[in-house]
Each structure stands twice: as structure tokens, then as C-alpha cells.
Amino acid sequence: MDNYIDVVVEVLSNKDVIATFVMVFLVMMFGCYVANYRKKPKKQKKVKAQNENAQKSENASSSSSESSSADEKKSSSNDGNPE
């Protein structure tokens, strides 16, 4: 049994075995990286994002002006009625 342990220690401490283990480990890690690689989605251009924000603000301002004109109609119809 002592001879077996001595042989294992000699093999594991050999520089060639250590270098081979490191190279195999690096190749396997690179293989896993390549196998699991996913392309990142394309980013939208900033110009489009700014245009969308401008359209949203225009829509918001037009909807607020419509609601204010509806409020004016209600108040003008109530002006002639005594309460």
C-alpha cells in the first residue's frame, strides 16, 4: 500500500502531468464558452428612442388639450344655469 501512495504522489507532482492537466482544463473551458455563447441583442439607435419620446410627449399634450377643451364646454354650459 505504501508503494501505491508513493507512485501516486510521484505522478501527481510531475511537471508534465500538471501542465497537461492545466492545458486540458483551459481547452475544456474554452469549449464550454463557445458552446454556450449567445450574441447580445442589437441596441436600438438613440435617434429612434428620442423620436419615440417626442411622439409620446406630443400625444400627451394633445390629449391634455382635448380634456381641457371638454372641461371648458362643461363650465360654459353651467354658466347660464343658476344653481
Side-chain angles (χ1 to χ4, degrees), residues 1 6 30 35 48 56 58 64 66 71 73 77 82:
M1 187 73 168
D6 290 337
F30 180 73
K48 287 184 178 180
K56 286 180 183 178
E58 288 175 5
S64 65
E66 290 173 1
D71 291 340
K73 289 179 184 177
S77 66

Side-chain angles (χ1 to χ4, degrees), residues 9-54:
V9 169
E10 283 292 322
V11 169
L12 293 179
S13 63
N14 189 347
K15 291 180 182 179
D16 293 333
V17 174
I18 293 171
T20 303
F21 173 77
V22 169
M23 291 304 295
V24 168
F25 181 76
L26 291 176
V27 168
M28 290 183 69
M29 292 300 295
F30 180 73
C32 289
Y33 173 77
V34 170
N36 294 327
Y37 180 78
R38 301 271 190 254
K39 285 188 175 181
K40 293 180 182 177
K42 292 183 179 179
K43 294 182 180 179
Q44 291 182 348
K45 294 182 181 179
K46 291 183 179 181
V47 175
K48 287 184 178 180
Q50 290 174 351
N51 288 340
E52 289 175 3
N53 289 338

